[in-house]
Amino acid sequence: MPQQVRTSPRPLGALVLALGLTPWIVGAAIAADAPASAPSTTSSASSTSSVSTTAAGKSKPALTVNLISAQRSDWQQTLSANGSVAAWQETVIGAETAGLRLAEVLVNVGDAVKRGQLLARLSNDTVQAELAQSRAAAAEARANLSAAQADAERARQLKASGSDALSAQQLQQYLTQELAAQARMEAANARLKTDELRLAQTRITAPDDGVISARLATLGAMAQPGAELFRLIRQNRLEWRAEVPAAELLNLRAGMAVQVQGLDGKPVAARLRMLAPTVDAQTRMGLAYVDLPAAAALRAGSFARGEFQLGQSGALSLPQSAVQLRDGFAYVFRVGADARANQVKVSLGRRSGDRVEVTGGLDASARVVASGVGFLSDGDLVRVVEPAAAKPAASKPAAK
């Protein structure tokens, strides 16, 4: 019997080379045998295409949404502005006499003072000595005037009686002495008043009610006339100097209500007092002077924001949850009859609470997605549901 030789499977390429066959012949043979298995492949591809078509025809909604329409209502029309808080009037207080030292300083920054209250005192020893000298000189001048008036009166009486005891020259001399004594008396009184005024000026007092906002007075320093010692905010009255564009100044009127944001974040009710008659040539901004109440949580020199209340006006608004902000633009999603969300670009205006005004791009009758807009894209299929009505609360049995 011929022996059977067991051979292990060999790769097709090695088998072709071992048999000495030309590779293209083997390729042709494989191609000829291919149709036998082709039907199964075609059937599998057809089955896969059918499944994909079925899945595409049954696409699911991207989101379940509620629809709302924009609401029209009256909103407060405002004009926002920024500015600085400043003193209504700030008074500079200084010494009026020279050559005297500050002997006493009685107030500091932040102290509330009354009109006429003593703020500081200058050394007055020299002034008091000069005042005493002036008083003595005035007393001497009064005595001399009294003697001169008596002599002049006697001379007039002799002249009136027709007596020749006094010559015309002597009579004129007595009258001249009277006039000179009167002049010296007036000069002495003027000197006396000057020294009394200097003594009063050694007392530096508040010219009005207010709050000390700055103090430069130093105990022992030599006071100079006109040099600033204190700065006073008159009547503790502050104002907000709002910077407003020139075109918007036409919408403002004196007496208009203003809401200014305080340092504690709470609004402060104020009133517009006046508008500046000029506009800055560089910034084209004008100043609006707003009176602030005394109890306002604001400080002079601080920055503040505020709004001018211009009146009521109609507004078409949506909840902020219905608006999508992207790339610097605002969008809403309007849903049509085909239940697809169409992205619509809109323009926004004022804000009030959780609502925002829509100034353009949306019809008032359009129905838009109320919330969840961040999960939608243009053309997405959505499932629309109506908001669930509030269920009546179950009544509890009365307690016995």
Side-chain angles (χ1 to χ4, degrees):
M1 293 179 63
Q3 287 186 335
Q4 296 180 355
V5 180
R6 300 182 61 183
T7 61
S8 59
R10 304 177 66 182
L12 180 59
L15 182 59
V16 170
L17 294 177
L19 296 176
L21 299 177
T22 306
W24 65 268
I25 298 176
V26 180
I30 293 175
D33 190 53
S37 58
S40 63
T41 304
T42 304
S43 175
S44 175
S46 176
S47 175
T48 302
S49 175
S50 176
V51 172
S52 298
T53 304
T54 303
K58 297 181 179 180
S59 57
K60 295 182 179 180
L63 194 66
T64 300
V65 298
N66 296 328
L67 299 184
I68 59 171
S69 297
Q71 295 181 1
R72 186 172 294 278
S73 58
D74 289 336
W75 278 19
Q76 181 69 39
Q77 187 176 1
T78 61
L79 172 63
S80 299
N82 300 324
S84 300
V85 179
W88 166 62
Q89 286 185 5
E90 201 168 24
T91 303
V92 175
I93 304 173
E96 299 180 65
T97 185
L100 302 177
R101 295 186 180 275
L102 278 167
E104 192 175 9
V105 179
L106 303 175
V107 294
N108 211 332
V109 175
D111 291 347
V113 298
K114 297 293 184 181
R115 182 184 183 92
Q117 180 177 335
L118 183 63
L119 306 181
R121 186 175 58 82
L122 302 176
S123 59
N124 57 8
D125 297 341
T126 304
V127 178
Q128 285 182 344
E130 293 175 352
L131 177 60
Q133 184 178 1
S134 297
R135 286 172 178 168
E140 181 182 4
R142 283 194 299 269
N144 293 335
L145 175 60
S146 178
Q149 287 176 341
D151 292 343
E153 183 62 24
R154 284 192 297 269
R156 291 189 191 95
Q157 291 176 358
L158 290 175
K159 182 65 175 178
S161 63
S163 174
D164 296 333
L166 292 177
S167 63
Q169 181 179 3
Q170 289 176 330
L171 176 61
Q172 185 61 38
Q173 183 177 1
Y174 285 124
L175 295 179
T176 302
Q177 289 177 355
E178 180 186 21
L179 294 177
Q182 180 68 35
R184 285 192 294 268
M185 176 63 190
E186 292 177 356
N189 287 337
R191 179 63 183 175
L192 177 61
K193 290 181 179 179
T194 300
D195 290 339
E196 289 176 346
L197 181 60
R198 289 190 62 203
L199 181 63
Q201 290 174 349
T202 60
R203 293 171 51 85
I204 300 173
T205 59
D208 199 356
D209 297 349
V211 176
I212 300 297
S213 59
R215 168 189 158 175
L216 280 72
T218 303
L219 189 66
M222 187 71 71
Q224 298 298 328
E228 179 181 337
L229 297 179
F230 302 97
R231 195 175 288 265
L232 174 72
I233 299 177
R234 290 190 60 193
Q235 302 175 14
N236 196 21
R237 183 175 166 185
L238 300 179
E239 64 183 11
W240 178 49
R241 298 174 182 175
E243 297 181 356
V244 181
E248 298 292 347
L249 290 174
L250 300 177
N251 299 324
L252 303 182
R253 297 289 183 274
M256 183 176 290
V258 185
Q259 292 285 340
V260 183
Q261 186 176 3
L263 296 177
D264 55 358
K266 298 180 180 179
V268 176
R271 288 284 172 184
L272 175 60
R273 186 177 80 251
M274 62 171 291
L275 298 173
T278 59
V279 176
D280 190 279
Q282 295 181 351
T283 63
R284 308 301 178 188
M285 304 287 279
L287 290 180
Y289 296 90
V290 178
D291 286 333
L292 298 173
L298 292 165
R299 294 291 182 270
S302 61
F303 175 83
R305 295 182 175 88
E307 293 181 343
F308 295 88
Q309 309 297 322
L310 303 180
Q312 298 284 338
S313 63
L316 189 68
S317 65
L318 286 172
Q320 292 186 11
S321 59
V323 181
Q324 182 185 37
L325 301 178
R326 187 176 69 249
D327 300 332
F329 299 99
Y331 301 93
V332 297
F333 286 88
R334 183 172 56 192
V335 178
D338 57 353
R340 291 196 177 274
N342 300 315
Q343 183 176 273
V344 179
K345 183 178 178 181
V346 295
S347 301
L348 303 182
R350 297 167 288 176
R351 296 179 182 271
S352 177
D354 63 343
R355 300 189 69 85
V356 60
E357 180 186 15
V358 180
T359 58
L362 184 67
D363 189 4
S365 60
R367 304 266 292 171
V368 299
V369 177
S371 61
V373 293
F375 301 100
L376 291 177
S377 299
D378 190 20
D380 280 352
L381 185 67
V382 296
R383 179 172 175 265
V384 179
V385 296
E386 296 298 330
K391 296 181 179 181
S395 58
K396 297 182 180 180
K400 295 182 179 179

